[in-house]
Amino acid sequence: MEERYSKAETLALRRKHIGPSCKVFFAKDPLKIVRAQGQYMFDEKGEKYLDCINNVAHVGHSHPYVIKAATKQMELLNTNSRFLHDNLVQYAQRLTATLPEKLSVCYFVNSGSEANDLALRLARQYHGHQDVITLENAYHGHVTSLIDISPYKFNQLGKDSKKEFVHVAPSPDIYRGKYKEDHPDPASAYAEEVKKIIEETQKNGRKIAAFIAESMQSCGGQVIPPVGYFQKVAEYVRAVGGVFIADEVQVGFGRVGKHFWAFQLQGEDFVPDIVTMGKPIGNGHPMSCVVTTREIAESFGASGMEYFNTFGGNPVSCAIGLAVLEVIEQEDLQGNAIRVGNYLLELLAEQKEKHPLVGDIRGVGLFVGVDLVKDQQKRTPATAEALHLIYKLKEHQILLSSDGPHRNVLKFKPPMCFTMEDAQHVVETIDALLTEIEEATGMKTENNASANAQYKRKTIEGSSQLEGSNESIGHMNGAACRQENGLYSKKCSLPSETIRT
């Protein structure tokens, strides 16, 4: 495909016409991507990059079945949802069939931010309460109402940026949080922190409208809440007239493997009151949805204010949404998430045993985090090393990102068509790069030669035993190892901003 502008011209025009706060990946040498297919992206020179982070192109970039569905419907009709159309009701029926029975009413919108904003409106209308409990390092969207409840964002504005109606609970992180993996019951301990917040707000005459949490925190560092945490929090919140909002914008639609929704990892006895979704719902097409109970929906309707969204639920969006659901099922992408995700966790576990830079491996399905540390015992975040590694991976035509409060967690959220060969290629490259970094910084591992520290790697040909396995939730902590500090400013000018994916 012939490009209208050179990369330099494109960059110059972007700097001229696009707001300076709109950042790009790899600011020193940003990529110009002109096409993509499956799990690969291609730049203007035709160079192919393996995409390990794009949870928007959920079933794969430019999926032909999704494109065909969009094109076919666009040729017939696209209009707003004030007219009757079968696509809207058919899609709502298919989507709610993936959720617990009581979650049966849909509001279609256009982005994850719109979905979470609407979820707050639903929650506040339900009992007339206003206050919201959110989690440390949470990110829920870019509109004003969501910046207010996203510590990941508002903490950048200074210590006085938190609004009075916002209450921040500890992130249920058993690796870096207040209650770690050696605690006898971290789920209850973290839930008690929420209970304390509720009690304090009531003393101050305030009322809780909602507790909102990503079912697994992504920007917060690929954090998987301990099982039982959501159940206890929901009990405390509902007891005072609040609702539980599960944000599935980044982690829904089968990414965790066995379950279609990440909140289901908590167990069958947990059902949120509101679920929000976006990103993967349209495989790159801008659409999202809020699903809630009939009771909450009727309360919202009783306000007397009509809700209307010009593009939400239009026939083309719904055709695309239906196609995405069909591809997930027809191509067994949930099964693929189990098989490839387990294999990726296994390969990364080997790296944890080999490399003192790797502090923790955690993940489920195709949602995986690698927490890099300078000291495994102290769990000191290796921020500069993580950023250096991301840039070096780009040189090897692998796209990965880092995030978390210390920007030291490698984030794997690839398209669901990611393969075992892809996983092996990425981990082998990471292995070589970690070795280079450790050699350059003088890091030494004390138990590298120990036979007990070795894992026998399964080859792709011998991995068939994974076929019937359930999804695993990895959380692998390392033995103590120390390192000298190592920074890379001479080799690579790194951006100071974190770019959310």
Side-chain angles (χ1 to χ4, degrees):
M1 180 183 295
E2 185 177 344
E3 292 301 298
R4 183 182 300 272
Y5 304 115
S6 69
K7 179 178 174 178
E9 290 170 328
T10 300
L11 188 56
L13 286 168
R14 182 182 176 103
R15 288 169 177 163
K16 180 178 180 180
H17 296 296
I18 306 301
S21 58
C22 300
K23 305 299 182 182
V24 294
F25 284 122
F26 311 109
K28 180 187 175 186
D29 182 27
L31 288 172
K32 183 177 181 181
I33 298 297
V34 300
R35 67 183 182 93
Q37 186 73 44
Q39 64 272 49
Y40 298 103
M41 305 181 82
F42 299 83
D43 68 12
E44 79 284 4
K45 299 176 183 177
E47 295 292 331
K48 181 171 72 172
Y49 291 82
L50 178 60
D51 183 0
C52 302
I53 57 176
N54 209 313
N55 57 334
V56 177
H58 190 63
V59 300
H61 293 279
S62 306
H63 196 288
Y65 189 79
V66 178
I67 292 171
K68 183 178 179 180
T71 303
K72 183 179 178 181
Q73 182 58 53
M74 183 67 83
E75 289 174 344
L76 291 173
L77 171 72
N78 198 27
T79 186
N80 66 54
S81 55
R82 286 184 185 269
F83 296 99
L84 290 178
H85 196 278
D86 287 349
N87 283 6
L88 176 64
V89 292
Q90 184 184 4
Y91 184 49
Q93 186 178 43
R94 288 284 301 275
L95 187 62
T96 55
T98 68
L99 289 157
E101 186 176 0
K102 79 170 192 174
L103 293 167
S104 60
V105 182
C106 300
Y107 296 86
F108 290 105
V109 287
N110 306 290
S111 70
S113 290
E114 268 196 78
N116 282 329
D117 178 77
L118 178 56
L120 288 182
R121 288 181 59 189
L122 289 166
R124 285 171 166 157
Q125 173 64 29
Y126 186 46
H127 281 141
H129 301 174
Q130 290 298 311
D131 287 26
V132 177
I133 301 175
T134 186
L135 293 177
E136 289 176 329
N137 311 314
Y139 176 75
H140 294 291
H142 63 79
V143 300
T144 300
S145 66
L146 303 177
I147 296 295
D148 286 345
I149 64 166
S150 298
Y152 181 84
K153 285 293 186 181
F154 70 65
N155 282 340
Q156 299 174 29
L157 303 176
K159 63 180 181 179
D160 297 324
S161 57
K162 185 175 78 66
K163 299 293 195 300
E164 188 179 10
F165 60 82
V166 176
H167 312 280
V168 181
S171 171
D173 182 350
I174 64 172
Y175 182 69
R176 294 196 171 277
K178 185 174 182 179
Y179 307 107
K180 295 182 172 57
E181 71 279 357
D182 57 355
H183 190 281
D185 187 0
S188 295
Y190 279 115
E192 283 297 312
E193 295 290 330
V194 177
K195 185 178 181 181
K196 290 176 187 176
I197 289 173
I198 293 172
E199 291 170 348
E200 187 65 26
T201 58
Q202 287 186 306
K203 287 179 184 177
N204 294 328
R206 307 193 67 89
K207 296 180 178 181
I208 300 298
F211 172 91
I212 184 170
E214 295 171 89
S215 298
M216 301 187 296
Q217 279 192 292
S218 181
C219 292
Q222 305 293 87
V223 175
I224 304 170
V227 174
Y229 171 67
F230 282 175
Q231 287 92 327
K232 292 179 184 296
V233 168
E235 177 186 345
Y236 299 147
V237 171
R238 289 166 180 161
V240 294
V243 301
F244 192 108
I245 302 172
D247 180 343
E248 292 270 340
V249 169
Q250 299 214 49
V251 295
F253 289 87
R255 178 163 293 280
V256 299
K258 180 182 178 182
H259 303 291
F260 203 80
W261 304 102
F263 72 77
Q264 293 171 315
L265 292 169
Q266 292 281 311
E268 293 183 2
D269 60 333
F270 173 68
V271 180
D273 301 295
I274 301 172
V275 176
T276 62
M277 54 197 77
K279 291 189 187 294
I281 190 171
N283 208 55
H285 181 79
M287 61 182 298
S288 60
C289 187
V290 180
V291 184
T292 189
T293 65
R294 173 62 56 185
E295 183 182 13
I296 292 174
E298 289 179 351
S299 171
F300 188 58
S303 70
M305 182 186 293
E306 176 190 12
Y307 181 78
F308 172 63
N309 190 302
T310 302
F311 296 108
N314 69 73
V316 172
S317 292
C318 291
I320 289 170
L322 281 164
V324 169
L325 292 180
E326 289 168 9
V327 171
I328 292 172
E329 181 178 355
Q330 292 169 4
E331 299 184 4
D332 187 26
L333 293 181
Q334 283 185 252
N336 190 64
I338 295 171
R339 294 184 291 272
V340 178
N342 283 350
Y343 185 61
L344 176 60
L345 284 168
E346 180 184 318
L347 296 178
L348 290 169
E350 296 176 17
Q351 303 311 308
K352 205 197 78 53
E353 294 301 321
K354 290 176 62 176
H355 296 288
L357 265 173
V358 180
D360 188 39
I361 307 295
R362 48 185 177 263
V364 54
L366 287 174
F367 178 90
V368 174
V370 180
D371 198 311
L372 298 184
V373 297
K374 296 178 181 179
D375 184 308
Q376 287 187 342
Q377 189 173 33
K378 296 179 179 179
R379 305 184 180 185
T380 311
T383 299
E385 290 82 356
L387 291 172
H388 177 72
L389 182 61
I390 294 303
Y391 270 77
K392 296 300 290 185
L393 284 167
K394 174 184 172 258
E395 293 177 11
H396 288 78
Q397 294 171 244
I398 295 171
L399 304 181
L400 196 63
S401 65
S402 63
D403 218 326
H406 308 288
R407 290 176 291 153
N408 69 307
V409 180
L410 308 181
K411 301 199 306 183
F412 286 86
K413 296 181 298 179
M416 294 279 280
C417 53
F418 205 69
T419 68
M420 290 187 177
E421 290 87 353
D422 296 329
Q424 185 167 345
H425 172 55
V426 172
V427 176
E428 286 176 350
T429 307
I430 289 174
D431 181 13
L433 293 174
L434 288 176
T435 299
E436 289 180 8
I437 294 172
E438 289 164 354
E439 288 176 353
T441 56
M443 295 182 72
K444 297 181 185 294
T445 180
E446 296 173 356
N447 61 353
N448 225 19
S450 170
N452 292 331
Q454 301 302 316
Y455 282 78
K456 184 177 181 181
R457 173 176 293 179
K458 292 183 179 71
T459 63
I460 293 175
E461 292 79 9
S463 61
S464 59
Q465 66 193 66
L466 294 174
E467 294 291 323
S469 65
N470 290 333
E471 89 282 2
S472 65
I473 301 179
H475 225 302
M476 310 162 194
N477 300 326
C481 252
R482 299 184 62 86
Q483 94 163 71
E484 304 280 328
N485 270 336
L487 302 178
Y488 301 91
S489 56
K490 292 181 180 178
K491 295 182 181 179
C492 176
S493 176
L494 298 173
S496 60
E497 301 90 352
T498 299
I499 301 175
R500 181 180 187 256
T501 55

